[in-house]
């Protein structure tokens, strides 16, 4: 059976992601940076929260956890490697492990770079990738702890997923990412098209996510970088881009 996914806007530009297992009605929430908007979304879905999935330890991804755990009794799943700096984990997972949302299995993928203990969750049944601050639409996370080599390897794992995969990122950064991406690949027609669609979506107050991995493979300069060195150069240019 499959999961379906819904964006829950949090804080100024974060997304938590609400997953629902079709067979059982089990609900999971990824990266609740804030409790109030998550509670609103959960109540609309029937007032049940079974699991909380965490990609990494930053406050804008975990600050809603304790309030949600207290209210719904949800079990919290995160990286064993980061257990010391995550909220208390009920289940500590490692890359290669599987997690279950009802009857749907998800795969834990190692994705260091932004932080060292960062993980992603991939649900083949439903084509859902929860990638936190590793991969953004038209961008990637800042290298706060890991190296360009780490990020290149992490993006390589994500790139290998099926093109119809729905990329569910931790932030709505797409519009500013598009401005930068166009400086890297000004002639990329797919990127030009995507940038126009993103501007229209944002002007209408709509999210630009999720986006398919296939779309990102055609437009995201960080995913398209052919070496860790090339990725490092693009990342450095982005860090200095205004
Ligand atoms: Zn982060
Ligand atoms: Fe973040």
């Amino acid at each position: 059976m499959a999961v379906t996914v819904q964006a829950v806007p949090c804080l100024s530009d974060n997304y938590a992601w609400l997953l629902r297992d079709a067979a059982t009605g089990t609900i999971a929430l990824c990266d609740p940076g804030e409790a109030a908007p998550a509670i609103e979304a959960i109540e609309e879905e029937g007032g049940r929260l079974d699991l909380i999935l965490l990609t990494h330890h930053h406050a804008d991804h975990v600050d809603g956890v304790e309030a949600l755990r207290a209210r719904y009794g949800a079990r919290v799943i995160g990286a064993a490697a980061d257990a010391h700096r995550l909220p208390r984990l009920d289940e500590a997972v490692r890359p290669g492990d599987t997690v279950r949302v009802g009857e749907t299995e998800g795969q834990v993928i190692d994705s260091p770079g932004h932080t060292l203990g960062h993980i992603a969750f991939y649900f083949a049944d439903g084509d859902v990738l929860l990638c936190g601050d590793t991969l953004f639409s038209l961008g990637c996370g800042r290298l706060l702890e890991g190296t360009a080599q780490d990020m290149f390897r992490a993006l390589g794992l994500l790139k290998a997923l099926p093109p119809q995969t729905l990329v569910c990122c931790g932030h709505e950064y797409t519009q500013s990412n598009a401005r930068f991406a166009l400086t890297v690949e000004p002639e990329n027609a797919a990127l030009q098209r995507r940038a126009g669609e993103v501007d229209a979506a944002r002007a209408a107050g709509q999210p630009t996510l999720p986006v398919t991995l296939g779309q990102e493979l055609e437009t995201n300069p960080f995913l398209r970088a052919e070496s860790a060195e090339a990725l490092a150069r693009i990342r450095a240019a982005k860090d200095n881009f205004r």
Side-chain angles (χ1 to χ4, degrees):
M1 291 300 292
V3 286
T4 53
V5 72
Q6 175 194 330
V8 181
C10 292
L11 303 170
S12 58
D13 55 30
N14 279 78
Y15 290 119
W17 294 93
L18 196 72
L19 264 67
R20 185 175 184 283
D21 176 52
T24 59
T26 302
I27 302 284
L29 183 68
C30 181
D31 284 0
E34 192 183 13
I39 289 170
E40 201 175 309
I42 290 161
E43 292 303 314
E44 272 171 30
E45 281 290 302
R48 161 177 183 180
L49 178 63
D50 302 279
L51 294 168
I52 296 173
L53 306 174
L54 302 177
T55 64
H56 69 296
H57 71 283
H58 286 155
D60 61 312
H61 299 254
V62 306
D63 271 1
V65 168
E66 293 308 341
L68 293 167
R69 183 193 336 244
R71 182 171 175 136
Y72 297 106
R75 294 174 57 243
V76 180
I77 301 179
D82 267 352
H84 62 287
R85 55 182 183 172
L86 286 166
R88 180 172 57 78
L89 299 178
D90 299 294
E91 194 177 331
V93 294
R94 292 183 170 74
D97 285 353
T98 54
V99 295
R100 291 183 70 89
V101 176
E103 292 182 2
T104 307
E105 279 197 346
Q107 187 187 328
V108 178
I109 301 176
D110 198 16
S111 58
H114 177 65
T115 68
L116 284 177
H118 199 298
I119 53 176
F121 299 92
Y122 170 62
F123 297 85
D125 251 335
D127 295 310
V128 173
L129 172 67
L130 306 169
C131 53
D133 289 357
T134 298
L135 173 61
F136 295 125
S137 182
L138 307 180
C140 77
R142 279 178 185 265
L143 301 175
L144 299 180
E145 297 179 6
T147 62
Q149 182 74 54
D150 291 328
M151 181 59 85
F152 183 70
R153 251 191 248 114
L155 293 180
L157 294 178
L158 302 185
K159 252 163 116 159
L161 298 173
Q164 73 273 18
T165 300
L166 298 170
V167 180
C168 302
C169 319
H171 290 269
E172 179 60 68
Y173 288 161
T174 318
Q175 194 167 31
S176 61
N177 285 347
R179 283 180 32 242
F180 172 75
L182 282 166
T183 68
V184 181
E185 293 194 41
E187 309 297 326
N188 181 329
L191 174 57
Q192 293 165 356
R193 206 158 46 238
R194 170 75 170 145
E197 289 163 5
V198 164
D199 286 343
R202 295 312 289 156
Q206 300 296 318
T208 63
L209 301 167
V211 60
T212 64
L213 183 63
Q215 164 91 281
E216 286 301 302
L217 289 170
E218 289 182 7
T219 54
N220 185 327
F222 296 90
L223 271 189
R224 293 162 66 77
E226 281 170 4
S227 65
E229 294 69 32
L231 174 65
R233 276 196 300 277
I234 299 170
R235 188 60 262 177
K238 175 71 162 68
D239 290 344
N240 295 311
F241 182 72
R242 286 287 169 275

